[in-house]
Amino acid sequence: MDNQSIISDFILFDFTKIEELKMFYFIVFTVLYLAILTGNLLIISAILCDHHLHNPMYFFLMNLSIQDLGAISVIVPKSIVNILMNTRHISYFGCVCQVFFVAFFMGSDFWILTVMAYDRYVAICNPLHYETIMNKQASVYMIIAVWVSSLLNALLNTCFTFSATFCSNAINQIFCEIPQLLKLTCIDLNQKEIKLIIVICILGIGCFFYILITYVFVFKAVLKIPSKEGRKKAFSTCLPHLFVVTIFLLSALIAYMKPSSSVHDLATTVLYCFIPPLLNPLIYSMRNKDIRFALSKLLKINFF
């Protein structure tokens, strides 16, 4: 018998038994989700509507906002509905879909940030050849490579996760997450799954060190700029991206290197699911003059 015939649905983490706290979670999740939705949609709209922002840096930023919207929309609406309906169930097929799209969108995050780091490296360290290297065609090919790689990563992870037989259907998480699902399997990880995990870890570590080394060269180049205004302008385009990378890494490290407990699991889930997509638009809108100007035109208001 395959696992689908044994388990027809999964039971997600129970927020709380107290009705008042459930309403509190409902309000918090709804407000945060609407804030993330609004912030990222504003960034996407500003970039699409302002032709001055039609360049590789903002094209990648728009894709980062799309990724943030996709990742949060896969997780939060189902959690809100579960709170309202006072249920914890998710169907087997629904869990498969959630795992796939979470892996697809979250897996693309680090790769988009890596591409953005390369873009800043070329812009600061090789400005005379920037338009030649980072032309429209190259930018499109890079983003296609990111999304195709994310698609393959999501397919592999989903297939390997659900090819196992589950001994339990109680997931200690508010959504279907691969590490939590692997804890429910009846057998140890096979060699193929271990190899897949190792490959994903190597890719992640490789991206991390690439971003780190890239910014070492970027900051060296910025410090050599003779004018104070030039250094300030260069830093204003690099610091937002560096802040975003730092927030993403910190939230991921806290989420996957913590002691396991129900309270900590819920707190860290909120941290790495909500904080990066919530702060990304704020960081870019506060630290980037072009984004502020585009948003002011879009909203017909003045930023002082």
Side-chain angles (χ1 to χ4, degrees), residues 174-191:
I174 63 171
F175 65 96
C176 289
E177 187 183 40
I178 291 175
Q180 296 296 335
L181 284 166
L182 291 178
K183 292 178 182 179
L184 307 180
T185 56
C186 302
I187 56 174
D188 294 331
L189 297 178
N190 59 43
Q191 288 186 352

Side-chain angles (χ1 to χ4, degrees), residues 31-46:
V31 169
L32 287 174
Y33 181 60
L34 291 176
I36 292 167
L37 220 61
T38 303
N40 284 284
L41 284 175
L42 282 174
I43 293 291
I44 293 168
S45 302

Side-chain angles (χ1 to χ4, degrees), residues 41-62:
L41 284 175
L42 282 174
I43 293 291
I44 293 168
S45 302
I47 293 171
L48 287 175
C49 296
D50 193 330
H51 70 277
H52 293 104
L53 302 182
H54 291 178
N55 59 52
M57 182 176 77
Y58 297 109
F59 175 62
F60 297 143
L61 175 57
M62 183 179 70

Side-chain angles (χ1 to χ4, degrees), residues 36 67-68 71-72 75 102 106 109 172-180 247-258 264-278 280:
I36 292 167
Q67 179 274 326
D68 285 338
I72 202 72
I75 297 169
V102 167
M106 287 193 172
D109 199 341
N172 189 32
Q173 184 57 282
I174 63 171
F175 65 96
C176 289
E177 187 183 40
I178 291 175
Q180 296 296 335
I247 290 167
F248 174 79
L249 288 175
L250 284 176
S251 60
L253 284 173
I254 292 170
Y256 290 102
M257 294 188 177
K258 58 176 176 38
H264 291 157
D265 286 342
L266 181 58
T268 51
T269 297
V270 172
L271 176 67
Y272 81 87
C273 288
F274 285 97
I275 299 303
L278 180 65
N280 290 355

Side-chain angles (χ1 to χ4, degrees), residues 12-13 15 22-23 25-27 29-30 33 72-90 98 174:
L12 299 174
F13 176 76
F15 289 91
K22 284 186 178 181
M23 286 309 300
Y25 286 131
F26 168 74
I27 293 169
F29 274 42
T30 304
Y33 181 60
I72 202 72
S73 296
V74 173
I75 297 169
V76 179
K78 176 61 178 174
S79 298
I80 292 173
V81 169
N82 280 358
I83 296 171
L84 276 178
M85 302 295 292
N86 197 25
T87 181
R88 297 162 53 195
H89 290 269
I90 183 171
Q98 200 170 57
I174 63 171

